[in-house]
Every structure is written in structure tokens, then in C-alpha cells.
Amino acid sequence: NLGFTDLNTIKDQRSLASSSPNTLLRFNSAFIRDMNNNPVVDILPTAARPVSTYFPDRTSPGLERFDFDLDAATMTLTFNETVDLASVDLMAITLHSSSPATLENFTLSGGSAATRPTRTTLAIALSLADANRVKQLDRLCVANASTCFVAMTARAVGDTAGNALTAVPASLPLQVTNYTRDATRPQLESFDLDLDLQEITFRFSETVRASTLRITDVALYEQTNATSPASLQHRFAAGLTLSGDSPNVTVRLGRADFDDITRKQFCRSASDCFLAHSIAFVDDMNFNPVFETPTSAPLQLSGFTRDAQRPTMVRFTHFDLDEGVLQLEFNETVRASSVNISTLALQSYVDSSQSGFQRVYLSPGRLTSTDGTFVTIELAVNDLNFIKRVRLCNGATDCIVRLGSGFVDDMFANDVVPVSDKPALESSEQPANFTDDTTGPMLVNFTVNMNASEVVLTFDETVRANELFSSAITFQNGAVANQSYRLTVNNRRATAADSTVIAFAVDVADLVAIKSLGLLGLALDAESTYVTHTAALIKDTKSNAAQTRADGTNALATAGYVRDSISPTLIPSSVFLDMNAGLLRLGFDEPVNSSSFVATAISLLNQTAGAADSYDILAATVQYTATRPLNTHIDVTLSAEDIRQIKLKTSLATSAADSFLSFSSRLIADVASNPVTPVTGLAVPLYQADITPPELLAWDLDIDDGLLTLSFNDVTLVDTLKAQFLTLQSNALGDDLANKYQLTGGSSDSANGYVIVVNLTETDLDQIKMRDGLATANATASLTLTSDVILDSARVPARSITRDSGQRVLQFTADVTRPSLDQWTLDVTRGLLTMRFSEAVNVSSLRLRNLWLQNAADSSNASEVLRISGGALLPNYTAVTFALTFTVDDLNTLKRFDMLGTNINDSYLAFDDLTIRDMSGNDVVGIARTAARRVASFNSDITAPRVVSFCYDADAAALSLTFSETVNASSLVPARLILQETSFGLSRLQLRAGQVTRQDSTVVNVTLTAADRNELQRLPLLSVSAASTHLLFDAAMVLDMAARPIAQVASGSPDVLQTDCFTKDTTPPTLRCWNLDMSNNSLVLYFSETVRTTSFNITAATLWSQSAIAS
């Protein structure tokens, strides 16, 4: 059956296959193959084969699909076969809004144009009139496919054979498959700006949906180059749309937008006003977004109306009597440069006749605002003082503003509306926000007494003593602090009456904290003692809070300082001896200076009855206790030697009962350098025994002597050593499993202590050497261990080193001892020579040609000698004992000898020093040919021959058999050979005879008889490929040179062989004749032999209208 594409392509070429005379066939050899996969004989274009029988097309075309794009105004019709463009009648096509056609419809006018993009497709471009009419119908082809159908009469189109269309009636119209809605976008064509009415009007290319207009998407620009940094611009923030759906839409500007445009002084004419917007600005009636007017090509203003309204004051926003600042707000942007302060006055009442009325016209002060809706003025000092003096503006109620004409202009030079006297007061004439005078007292002096814990404060005015809050004070070490401390406790006052001088006592906790920071330079002397404070420190008699002093701004230095002179003392209950961490903790009643610490001032004693052990500390480090942040407690970390010596004393510091402490005044001093009070024979109240597992610090490995040295951070007990819990690995991660080994045992002659030397067993040493990537250098030796490996002096198990964090060896000693041969054996049956050495050797370094087999110990007496030429090694990399499998040639040569390799007394081995190396590269101790080593064990040959592979040439009908050893060719019987499709059966053929090559060899050829060859070709599944060619035979098929019969290979046996090389039959088939039927799309072909239908390739065939000789 011809494919759809092929059939329509043929139909479109009217001079091809439209009758018998113009229907010819050619193909190439890829068209089809015979049962042996031979390609057909091709038919060349110059000899194209005419059709035998031809049937023409009599089938009408039919409409299969209808697509409609309202946006592009195009209609696409798809048919079930090739149609004739010349036969198209557009007025036979009608669009419907429903099925059946009962609502709206429209028949094409004929003014549209049709094209044929493919053989089975018509593309119709609607005329503008047709497209507009369809868009006008609100129920026809709108929104989605459910409103769009097509009907066609038979005259709408025909096929290339003249068959008319199968009509699509209005009673059953075809629904659109793909529908595209109207997506034509509107365009902004012009705009007007009216600043007097505060409106902007937009004109579009079509009616837009007013509800979708987004004024915030519009921006105005001063220049046509809108992206210029020098160009003024404004983006609208708000607006009120005044129009409905229309091509022209008017928007009322928001207050902020109007003020910003007038303030920036652009958009005064078409020459300095341009507009840009994005597609989000507005949509048309079909929700198509407007085309963007980009900043790179903004739209110029069309019409402009200037502002003619006078500005008015809307609010007296603020008056600050403390800072002397006044602010007014106007209803639009005013020009700062036009402000005339002398026309502004402040008065106390509306009625000037009222008693106590005051009015002050301001003299020129300082204007601090710019163009905008606010005017801010900083009053002149004289004006501010005068206002305070006459008691004007004591609050918001007696502070009224008056403005004269000429006070300020808007951006279009319109003068402000004056604010004059009137009968009634308006709220806008009084300040909405009023700030009164609030200046507080200032600290001018202070002194500190560190012995008495007292601070004295002096202020610039009388303060309330009962309002003192000392926690508002921060001590710091300079005008700009790098160390500071804020008091936490509001302490009792030493001064009770209101005064300029207030004294108070510093709380103990605050004093300790300050002394602690003395280590960092705080309050050590007058030069390092400053204070700052917050306003909460104190209040004056008018309840004004104190003026603050801040770091880096106005910190105050002390005027007097008395230093600390009292020695620190030990807190007995704080003493803690931790033998697990090697730590001694001491706490004092005040901060101490760790830099003054002297370790040799400490002694540990056992003062229990009958004991006299003691130990003077030699070295230690000190740091402050992390959990006690004020430097009153120290942690003394004992040196490793001190810990070792203490642990070796069996009756000292093993518990709280035998732990006592003494130290001299040299031990430590406080922050003010006062030495500590000494302590003698104090029982340690807090004690922690050693519970920390001993940890391996480093280890060494001597591969030559087989020694592994372990160095721990604690005293360990050698009698608890269990070396089998040690594992060597090539890297820290332990992910190289091939180079990883766990010891099986080991012993040690070391004494208890930090260092234990392990004697490796011979087995473990060989196993380590056999791993070429393990313990060959420092980089390939890492160690892991479990907690069972050893115990410390407190019988705490060692800390494990996990397999993914192995520890690298510190010192590595390589193997330098040469290996030697212990013994060797020979197995002729298996073709094996086995050697055992004194240690693991690198099998891959073996030089096989350095090995000699001879039938006497002295080569001068040997009559038969075999020099090994090659072979396979197992294992082939490293071992103490390994086997050599002889090559076929070497084994056959050995088997031919009758005085070498026949028993234990005629088998000797010799080799030189370069024959093999151990895993460290040490050469073997050679065995001279004059003193060869006799075999230790011997097995003679009892092996039968076997077929190892065979080839089959189907074109030459020949078998080639390869044997495991030389066979007697004259003994081979072809009739004992069977060719079989699979190893377990199916198609098979037992040969009846054949011609055999006569030379004794490991390879023998057999040529099949003609009868066997023909029978083999008849069987379709047998020997058509390597996969379908297997060989079977019985024991009588052939004999080896020692007359041993070959082992039988029967069907289903695992020894059944598949051919290694196969040559196919290559005789091709040929075409006899062919037929073509254009109505049922069929092509019929007749060949000279059975062909394989699965090889059929229609793309290799070509239809021709005539022979290539003629065309």
C-alpha cells in the first residue's frame, strides 16, 4: 500500500502515473533482499521497467480540517488528497456560527485570494471587507472554536483527476480545529495637556476600553531623547478617567502629578513635552494591549493650555520655638526664589484690639526649602529672641500667621492669595504642629574612687537628687571608646539634697565588671576613665532631661581618680582539679590579670595520713574560665609532662581524697597589679577523674623490619594491646578497598608508656606488601583503629580512628631485603609452573624469558632445555605464591620432550637476579643454571585435545577447525561433524562427507560436498549468520598426536561452539514484473525467488514517466 505522501505527490505530477504509458519503475539494490540477505539486482533509470497493469483514480476529495485566524484574516482548508488550485470557487464557502447553521453566517465574497501551501491544503486570505464583516458579527467566529464552522458546496474545489469535492452541507458544517482570535493592537496617535484644568487627553487609532487605562504607565519627557540624563521627566502616579470607551480618553491629573510637572518647569509647549508608555497603558475592546510608545521615540505634545490660577496657603504646618523654624504649605508648587519674608507676620490674636495683642513682622531669616508646595524658614536670632521675650507663640493657640501680597509666586508667576485679618479665625492660620523649648542640664565634671567604689557628678545647674539614674552612665577608656561598660544598678545616693554635685556608690557587680575591663584599658587611671550618659541620667528642676554625652562626640574625662590597692583572694569552693582535661580551675573575689600568672608557684600534695606524695608544677598555660566572663576565674592547663608525672604517681591526684593545693603570692595579681593572697594545703573540693580515651598522636612503620610504632597522648598499658584491631589503608578516606588491610595479630616488647612498638606477623607483613598501593611510602600509609586496641593507665579504651578519617604515617621505612625462591612445582596436565617466594613479589615484574627448564641441575649435563617464551600469570600482579600457565607452543614443546618434564627427577628450574622483584623493587636472589633448583612436586600430562574455535564460509562451503593442540589430520572424519542452529537444537545438518587438509596441525580445514552445501542453503534458519552456526561432534571425530580421542560435544552441552567467523551467501534476486492501482493505492511486485519481506524498503524505488534515455 502506497503511503499518503507518496500517493499525493504522484497525483500532483499530472504527467506521471496518470496512465499506463507514463508509468515506469526503477529501484536500487536497497529495495529488498533474499533469504540470505543478498540485495536485489537494481533497475537503472536508463532501463526503467514499464507497468504491466494500470488502474486510474476515481475517488472524490473530502474536507478533513478547517483552521481560522481572525487576527491574520486567513482561512486554511485541509483535504484528504491533492486538490487542484485552478478549480477553487471561494463563493461556494460559507462561515457559520453554529451546527446546524441556525444563527449567523457569512459567505465569502470572492474578493479573497487562495493559495496552496501544500498539495492537500488551501490557504484563503480574506479581503479587508470580508474580514471586517466577520469581526462585526458578534456571534460568528468570536472568542473560541465553538462559534466557528464552515460549509462548502461540491463546486468549491476538485482533485487533479477532475473528481469534484464531497460537499459539506450547512446542516452538518465542519467545526474549526485551530481558532485564532483578533489580536490587532491599538496605537496612541496624539495627546493634549491642559494645566489650567489639570487634564490630559489621549487620542488612539481605535476605540479603547476606558476601564483598562493605567495612567501610572505614562511618563512625560522634556526632550525627544527621553533617555538623556539631562532630560526632565515625570511618571504619573494617579488620575481620574473622565471618558467612557472611545478613541479619545481624558484623565484628571492627581495633585502630586500636577505639582511635579509645574515644579520641574517643562511641558510648556510642544517643543519640550514628549510622552512614552508601555503596552500595559490601555487595551482595545478585545483586550489587545496598546503598542508601546518607547522612550527611544516618544510622542510629541499636540495641544497645550498654561496654568492661570493663583496659589493659596492651605496650612501653617509647623512652628518650632526651640529651633526657630517655621513652615507653610500651599495648594501648588511655588517658586522658592520669589519668597519675600518681610511680608510675613506672626500675631497672638485675630482681633488686634484684644488686650495683650502682639504682632511681629519677620526680618530676613534663612529660606531652607526649594521649589515645591512647602516653604520652610529659619527665623533670624533677633526675631526668635524677641518672640520669646514678648511671650508670643507660647503655644499653637497664640501663634497666627499673616501673608501680604507678593510673599510668593507659583511656577507661572501667579501671585499668592494674601492671608489678611478677618473677623473669624481659620484653623489653617495656626500651626498644625508646635514645638516648645525643651533644653535640659549638662554634666560638666566627675571623679572616681576605686577603693571606696564611689563616683561624684557635677552639673551646670541644680538638679533633682531623687531623679538620679546611675544606670544611664557608661564608663569608657577615651573620648572615642574602644572599651566601655554601662552601669546596671541604680545605686544609693551619697547626696540627698538637690544640688549641682551628686555622689553615689557603685554596685559590687558593676565594680567587678569595670575592673575586668581594666585588662583591656578601661578605668586603670585618670587617662583611661571617661563617661557618657543618656538623657535619663537626671532632670533639672523644670523636669527637662539631661543633655546627653555620647561616645566620639562629647565624652567627659574624669577630674579625679583613686586607684585600687587591695589584694585579691582565692574562693576555696571554686577550686576544681580535672585530670580528664589536665586542668586546674581557680576563682578569686575580683578580676585577675592572666598575664601575671606564674605556673611554678603551684604545688599538688597528698596530705592524707601516711602519705607524703607531692608534685611542683613545671609548666602550664592559663586562660580565663569561659563560663565566668568577668575574669575572676582562671583555667590552668597543665603541660603534658606534668600530667605524665602526676599520672605515674600512684597515690597523688587519683581522687579528691588525695588532692591538696598550695600556691605562693607569685601565682597571679589583680588588674591593679596587687599580688594574690597565698594558700597552703587546701583540700580540693571538686575533682574529675580521667575518662578521656587515649588518642593516637602519630605512628611509624618499618616495612623492612616489620615494626609498627604507636605514639599516644596518654600512658598506655602494653599488656592490653590487641593488634588485630589495627587497619592499614592507602588514604585517609579508606575508599580504596583494594589497598586496605586489617592486621590479624602482633606482639610488643615495649614498657607501659606513650610509645608502643608492635611486631607484625609474617602473614600480615606479606599481605601488606602484596597491596601495591598500600604502605609503599608516607603518602600511601594511613592507619585506623577501634577502641579495643589498647587501654590507658586509667583503663580507658583508646579513641577510635574511623575508616573514613585514617591517620597518615609520620615516619616510613621501606623494604630493602631481596626476595628468594622457597620452592616450585610443575603440572604438565594443566600446563602450570608454580613458584613460592620468601615474601610477596611483584608478579607483573616477572621476565618470563629469564626462566629456564632443564633436565639436570647443571646445564652442562642437560640434554633437553626449554627457555620459557611467555604465558599467563595467576595472580598476575602480586603474591607470595603464583602460577605460570604455559603458552600453547611452550606446552607443546615440553610435551614433545621425552627426558624433560616427565617426572620429579628430570625437572629443574634456573633464573638470574633480574627475573623478578619484590613489591619494593628489590631484585630476587637468582638460581644459577649450574645449580638449578629441582621441582618439589610434579604431575604428568593426561589432557585430551579439544576444539577451541571454528570458522564457516557459506560462499565457499568450507569449515576451518582450530584445536587446543596439534592433532592427527588423517584421523579426522567429516561425517562426525554436525552444524546446528543453536547450542541446544532447532535446525541441524550432519555432514555426509567432505575433503580434509592432510597436514598435522592445530588448524584443519574441511570443504563440504555439493549435496551438503545445497541442503544447508535449503534450511532458512541454519548457518545464515554466525549466531545460527554451531558445531557438534563425537569422540571419533579426531585424535591428538598421542592418539588421545577428542572429547564429545553433544547438543545442549555447554561446550557447543558458535563460529568465530562467518562468510555469507552473496547471490542476489531479480524483478520479473509489476502492477499499479491508483484507486486502492496498491503496488504489486513479482521476483525471481522468495525474498525477505522484512527487508522491504519502498524509499529505494522511483516512479518515472518514461525511460531516462528519453527524459
Side-chain angles (χ1 to χ4, degrees), residues 9 54 292 326 354 452 665 758:
T9 303
Y54 176 85
E292 178 186 16
L326 173 150
Q354 186 171 343
S665 62
V758 180

Side-chain angles (χ1 to χ4, degrees), residues 745-881:
S747 61
S748 177
D749 300 322
S750 302
N752 293 342
Y754 287 87
V755 179
I756 304 295
V757 179
V758 180
N759 303 308
L760 299 177
T761 67
E762 185 176 341
T763 299
D764 287 343
L765 189 59
D766 281 336
Q767 287 294 322
I768 293 169
K769 290 180 179 180
M770 287 169 62
R771 289 158 172 78
D772 67 335
L774 177 63
T776 59
N778 288 69
T780 60
S782 292
L783 185 69
T784 67
L785 53 87
T786 68
S787 59
D788 300 310
V789 70
I790 203 164
L791 304 178
D792 68 6
S793 58
R795 306 200 72 80
V796 178
R799 186 181 303 280
S800 298
I801 300 177
T802 61
R803 63 182 182 181
D804 58 354
S805 57
Q807 186 178 127
R808 177 76 63 84
V809 69
L810 179 62
Q811 183 173 336
F812 177 82
T813 303
D815 176 19
V816 295
T817 302
R818 296 172 63 185
S820 61
L821 180 69
D822 285 345
Q823 69 172 36
W824 71 283
T825 64
L826 181 62
D827 187 335
V828 181
T829 297
R830 299 167 61 196
L832 293 178
L833 187 155
T834 303
M835 290 182 282
R836 188 181 75 198
F837 289 86
S838 59
E839 63 173 296
V841 291
N842 185 348
V843 180
S844 63
S845 72
L846 178 64
R847 299 182 181 182
L848 290 171
R849 291 185 59 81
N850 288 15
L851 297 174
W852 295 82
L853 290 177
Q854 53 196 50
N855 67 338
D858 190 338
S859 58
S860 62
N861 298 325
S863 58
E864 291 181 346
V865 176
L866 172 63
R867 184 177 188 180
I868 303 300
S869 65
L873 300 171
L874 185 68
N876 61 1
Y877 185 65
T878 178
V880 175
T881 301

Side-chain angles (χ1 to χ4, degrees), residues 82 165 177 362 431 435 452 588 617 666 681 689 708 795 818 882 983 1008 1044 1046 1053:
T82 301
L165 176 72
T177 300
L362 301 184
T435 303
F588 301 91
I617 301 300
R666 296 185 301 112
L708 190 154
R795 306 200 72 80
R818 296 172 63 185
F882 65 89
S983 63
L1008 277 64
R1044 281 182 288 269
I1046 194 164
S1053 166

Side-chain angles (χ1 to χ4, degrees), residues 483-742:
Q483 294 298 328
S484 63
Y485 179 77
R486 181 169 178 169
L487 300 183
T488 61
V489 180
N490 289 311
N491 293 291
R492 67 186 187 281
R493 300 180 306 282
T495 304
D498 294 346
S499 172
T500 59
V501 179
I502 303 294
F504 70 92
V506 178
D507 185 80
V508 173
D510 284 336
L511 185 65
V512 168
I514 293 171
K515 287 184 177 181
S516 173
L517 290 173
L519 294 170
L520 300 176
L522 175 64
L524 281 176
D525 49 32
E527 288 72 22
S528 60
T529 307
Y530 286 70
V531 297
T532 60
H533 61 81
T534 67
L537 174 62
I538 206 162
K539 293 180 181 179
D540 64 12
T541 56
K542 295 293 185 180
S543 296
N544 291 314
Q547 297 182 49
T548 61
R549 286 190 176 273
D551 177 36
T553 303
N554 59 348
L556 183 64
T558 185
Y561 179 89
V562 178
R563 69 178 296 276
D564 174 22
S565 60
I566 301 172
S567 292
T569 58
L570 178 71
I571 301 172
S573 61
S574 70
V575 178
F576 173 43
L577 178 60
D578 186 344
M579 289 303 293
N580 186 52
L583 179 144
L584 175 64
R585 179 169 295 163
L586 305 173
F588 301 91
D589 63 351
E590 64 172 300
V592 291
N593 187 349
S594 63
S595 65
S596 66
F597 174 76
V598 178
T600 56
I602 302 174
S603 296
L604 290 177
L605 310 94
N606 181 358
Q607 292 188 347
T608 57
D613 260 352
S614 66
Y615 182 74
D616 297 332
I617 301 300
L618 298 176
T621 59
V622 68
Q623 62 182 18
Y624 292 110
T625 304
T627 57
R628 305 299 291 265
L630 296 178
N631 304 333
T632 58
H633 288 61
I634 59 173
D635 287 346
V636 179
T637 302
L638 305 179
S639 68
E641 180 60 22
D642 285 333
I643 294 171
R644 179 176 179 274
Q645 291 298 331
I646 293 170
K647 286 185 176 181
L648 290 175
K649 289 179 177 288
T650 58
S651 61
L652 177 64
T654 63
S655 67
D658 58 10
S659 300
F660 294 82
L661 173 70
S662 296
F663 58 77
S664 68
S665 62
R666 296 185 301 112
L667 174 66
I668 202 163
D670 66 11
V671 176
S673 300
N674 300 304
V676 68
T677 302
V679 168
T680 302
L682 175 68
V684 173
L686 303 173
Y687 179 87
Q688 171 62 55
D690 178 14
I691 60 170
T692 301
E695 184 175 343
L696 183 68
L697 298 178
W699 66 285
D700 302 331
L701 181 61
D702 186 335
I703 289 293
D704 200 44
D705 289 336
L707 298 177
L708 190 154
T709 302
L710 306 174
S711 298
F712 291 93
N713 67 344
D714 205 345
V715 175
T716 54
L717 305 177
V718 71
D719 62 351
T720 67
L721 174 67
K722 296 178 182 178
Q724 63 269 30
F725 294 105
L726 295 170
T727 299
L728 291 174
Q729 55 192 47
S730 62
N731 58 38
L733 295 178
D735 54 2
D736 183 1
L737 299 181
N739 290 296
K740 186 173 185 177
Y741 182 72
Q742 182 174 352

